Amino acid sequence: MKMRTGLSYRTRDGRIAGPVLARGGHSHPWEGRVEGLEEIQYWTDDGLLFASGELHNLDLVGSVRGSAGKAIDQMTLDDYRRGVARLRSAF
């Protein structure tokens, strides 16, 4: 996964993290907030919370697309249909 400034990502446990920001060349160059947590989290270029490669629930596993961050009353019919289609394919 290629990390990009300003995008939001989904964590391994399903939360939304971001938008992420590039901090500079340390072992954890990306920072952002995760829903439900107050403190800022830091990730490697691969989206891992731990540089050791050990898996964690807050690892970033994919970018959030479409209606992420929109209030439910601001979603379009297409946003809704994409969400329902994604749910159906998950079962």
Side-chain angles (χ1 to χ4, degrees):
M1 170 176 66
K2 180 178 168 99
M3 303 277 289
R4 292 183 25 203
T5 297
L7 291 183
S8 293
Y9 293 87
R10 179 113 12 229
T11 63
R12 193 175 299 284
D13 66 358
R15 300 182 203 195
I16 295 177
V20 298
L21 301 172
R23 290 189 317 115
H26 303 344
S27 64
H28 292 80
W30 298 94
E31 71 176 33
R33 296 199 179 271
V34 176
E35 68 179 332
L37 300 176
E38 290 191 25
E39 57 277 340
I40 293 175
Q41 303 298 315
Y42 301 92
W43 295 277
T44 66
D45 282 327
D46 296 327
L48 300 175
L49 191 68
F50 296 126
S52 66
E54 187 176 326
L55 298 182
H56 191 276
N57 284 341
L58 296 181
D59 291 344
L60 304 178
V61 295
S63 62
V64 176
R65 294 186 206 111
S67 61
K70 290 183 186 176
I72 191 72
D73 61 344
Q74 294 176 341
M75 290 179 66
T76 66
L77 182 56
D78 287 337
D79 291 333
Y80 173 78
R81 287 181 176 152
R82 277 193 298 272
V84 170
R86 218 176 288 135
L87 286 175
R88 286 185 182 163
S89 66
F91 293 105

